Amino acid sequence: MQAHVKDFTHRLVASPAGRIHLVEQGTGPLVLLVHGFPESWYSWRHQLPALAAAGYRAVAVDVRGYGRSSRPADPAAYRMLDLVEDNAQVVRALGEETAVIVGHDWGATIAANSALLRPDVFRAVGLLSVPYTPRGGPRPSEIFARMGGEEEFYVSYFQRPGRAEAEIEPDVRGWLAGFYAALSADTMPAPDAADPHFVGPGGTLRDRFPTGPLPAWLGEDDLDVYAGEFERTGLTGALNRYRNMDRDWEDLASLDGAPVTQPSLFAGGLLDASTTWLKDAIDAYPVTLPGLVSSHLLEGCGHWIQQERPAEVNRILTDWLAALPG
């Protein structure tokens, strides 16, 4: 359901990579919304009008590599340092000095690092679905390689350029439908089924995706929006985020163990692997997110939290924003 899309303002602004496409609605203090994989600005379609109605200038970007934003050819151009600078540049390009930043999935990690690296710009940070985990420990590729035994964790599967693209791009719409369904509360595989986050020997990720109806939050027209963008751009720009995790680990060594001290928010779904696997990260919030204002785990909710539970997430966001200083 593409509600309120006609009310959105689209624009392109200059960024270090060339351009960032953004969609905005409303006036007031700036709230920057950063999506995850494999999505686009459109994943915030329910939040833009709600935040605008609450008195904010809500801006959702296409992250570098997605949609109408630039897609550099060099895989190293998708490192965290560059994505943080894109966000800071968007704030400047909009004529603002500071913003609240809110991210989902990879966007949550990008938002947290934006707050860490540019506290002069980002005065508060909201994290959806993926908990904040400070940089530290072994090299990420070594951690992921040890997961799953004979099976391969999806992050490792995504590493080799062209490999995941060969699975996804022949049927982008079908693959996206299965991926979204696999992580949605109402369509995810049963707990005793093969885990769709892993690839069996000689298999593909799609082998374990549900093949039934779409999740309740995802209409055919919504799927058309996502599929249309990736059919046009391909998946390489999006997948290059995963291909920089070791590079980020090196780049961000000075932030080892660093807490995010700005006022913060976390919301996740209780049925989302991101919250169950990273329970220890949530438990550590008194140390890692000392500015945490509120934390929410939604019953019966999967990974796509702001689309599965838009009214609830909108209320959580607007209550938190209203309580922020300034």
Side-chain angles (χ1 to χ4, degrees):
M1 176 165 36
Q2 300 179 52
H4 305 288
V5 168
K6 66 181 184 302
D7 300 324
F8 298 155
T9 298
H10 293 252
R11 67 169 73 184
L12 298 171
V13 300
S15 80
R19 68 182 181 277
I20 292 291
H21 169 242
L22 59 86
V23 179
E24 67 174 308
Q25 188 172 6
T27 58
L30 177 60
V31 180
L32 189 66
L33 304 169
V34 186
H35 67 81
F37 176 88
E39 301 177 272
S40 73
W41 75 266
Y42 188 75
S43 66
W44 300 105
R45 63 194 176 281
H46 302 298
Q47 284 66 53
L48 289 163
L51 294 175
Y56 299 95
R57 184 183 188 185
V59 173
V61 297
D62 277 338
V63 172
R64 177 188 299 219
Y66 288 81
R68 291 168 57 192
S69 292
S70 290
R71 300 187 304 280
D74 181 4
Y78 297 84
R79 68 206 312 153
M80 186 61 69
L81 293 175
D82 290 333
L83 301 181
V84 169
E85 188 52 36
D86 283 347
N87 290 337
Q89 189 89 348
V90 165
V91 175
R92 287 194 294 270
L94 293 172
E96 305 283 355
E97 294 185 0
T98 63
V100 174
I101 188 167
V102 179
H104 171 257
D105 182 78
W106 260 122
T109 304
I110 296 168
N113 281 284
S114 296
L116 282 168
L117 291 162
R118 295 302 305 269
D120 56 317
V121 177
F122 298 105
R123 62 187 181 91
V125 57
L127 310 175
L128 302 185
S129 297
V130 173
Y132 174 57
T133 305
R135 186 262 184 219
R139 187 176 293 272
S141 60
E142 297 172 2
I143 296 172
F144 299 131
R146 294 198 296 263
M147 296 177 64
E150 292 185 0
E151 298 182 338
E152 185 176 16
F153 191 48
Y154 78 100
V155 177
S156 298
Y157 180 76
F158 284 168
Q159 292 304 308
R160 191 172 76 233
R163 183 185 182 194
E165 288 93 327
E167 172 185 343
I168 303 167
E169 291 179 355
D171 177 21
V172 168
R173 194 178 192 279
W175 193 92
L176 290 175
F179 190 79
Y180 296 146
L183 306 185
S184 296
D186 58 335
T187 50
M188 62 176 53
D192 58 351
D195 191 333
H197 295 88
F198 292 86
V199 178
T204 65
L205 269 175
R206 189 172 182 172
D207 294 341
R208 298 180 175 183
F209 291 170
T211 56
L214 294 178
W217 62 267
L218 184 69
E220 295 285 353
D221 50 354
D222 299 318
L223 183 56
D224 286 342
V225 172
Y226 287 124
E229 289 292 78
F230 288 113
E231 286 167 354
R232 181 175 59 79
T233 64
L235 271 291
T236 297
L239 290 163
N240 277 342
R241 173 83 290 273
Y242 291 92
R243 295 165 184 162
N244 277 275
M245 296 180 78
D246 281 353
R247 191 173 282 115
D248 295 339
W249 182 82
E250 296 168 357
D251 287 344
L252 303 175
S254 66
L255 297 178
D256 198 77
V260 174
T261 58
Q262 291 97 320
S264 56
L265 163 79
F266 176 73
L270 274 172
L271 298 180
D272 184 3
S274 298
T275 58
T276 56
W277 290 348
L278 295 174
K279 181 183 181 300
D280 289 349
I282 296 173
D283 292 342
Y285 280 169
V287 173
T288 62
L289 290 180
L292 186 68
V293 174
S294 63
S295 183
H296 309 263
L297 289 172
L298 306 191
E299 297 267 1
C301 184
H303 182 67
W304 318 105
I305 182 170
Q306 77 269 34
Q307 298 176 90
E308 292 188 49
R309 296 286 186 82
E312 201 166 349
V313 170
N314 291 348
R315 184 170 63 253
I316 288 169
L317 288 174
T318 53
D319 287 352
W320 171 66
L321 289 166
L324 291 177

